[in-house]
Amino acid sequence: MFGLLKKKNVATNVDLSSTDTIEVLKTLASRTANKLNLDAQELKSGLFGSTAAGTNQIVAGRVLITHTTSSEIKEATGMIITFSKFIPWNDDASNRVDYAVVLVMPTADDNADALTQKAAATVSAHLNQLDEWRDSSSDLNKLLHEII
């Protein structure tokens, strides 16, 4: 019963107006900020920073794991977003991304690498279920709660 009360930080089948990396990051920041009630500009800056630093990960050529920070939170949180169509991440056709895991950590948290690694391991453990779960907010929310 308590599982039903967990907030669902999930958006499924998101249509992207562009597959350009910057536009995708803007969409991720906007969707995450709206869902988590956080400042979109702060999230966007962090997502751009993690992309520029090369600390994002692509799992199995289809799941983007990215991270940002927020001064408005005290504990790590995040969001899972599925796209309505595959996107070639960084214009690389071998990376046909249709999932994004956006990790949001408190500004003072220096644990981005550990949380990103945990996210990658958790997603890897569930690769066989991704096609089945892509439209299921409940299943994706459970996956997110395994990560965070």
Side-chain angles (χ1 to χ4, degrees):
M1 176 169 160
F2 290 109
L4 297 174
L5 301 176
K6 289 182 182 176
K7 185 176 180 183
K8 290 187 171 109
N9 295 343
V10 172
T12 60
N13 287 313
V14 172
D15 286 321
L16 297 170
S17 59
S18 170
T19 61
D20 175 72
T21 301
I22 291 173
E23 293 304 315
V24 173
L25 291 172
K26 286 179 183 178
T27 299
L28 294 176
S30 173
R31 287 291 188 122
T32 303
N34 287 339
K35 189 71 162 181
L36 302 178
N37 197 28
L38 298 173
D39 180 67
Q41 183 60 45
E42 185 177 22
L43 297 186
K44 184 170 67 173
S45 294
L47 292 177
F48 285 178
S50 64
T51 300
T55 56
N56 293 336
Q57 287 193 24
I58 302 290
V59 176
R62 71 178 292 190
V63 181
L64 167 68
I65 299 174
T66 186
H67 58 88
T68 185
T69 59
S70 172
S71 59
E72 300 176 86
I73 60 171
K74 302 231 183 283
E75 293 181 358
T77 188
M79 185 160 175
I80 293 180
I81 299 170
T82 66
F83 304 125
S84 60
K85 297 177 184 167
F86 289 103
I87 60 167
W89 185 251
N90 280 338
D91 293 322
D92 180 352
S94 67
N95 290 323
R96 293 173 36 94
V97 172
D98 63 337
Y99 271 79
V101 177
V102 181
L103 304 171
V104 184
M105 288 156 278
T107 303
D109 192 343
D110 60 357
N111 207 18
D113 289 340
L115 189 55
T116 301
Q117 293 303 319
K118 182 179 180 187
T122 303
V123 168
S124 292
H126 294 287
L127 284 176
N128 292 336
Q129 286 99 359
L130 292 182
D131 287 330
E132 178 184 335
W133 290 354
R134 73 172 293 100
D135 297 322
S136 173
S137 294
S138 294
D139 288 326
L140 294 174
N141 199 53
K142 288 176 192 172
L143 178 62
L144 183 62
H145 285 285
E146 280 186 47
I147 296 168
I148 299 176

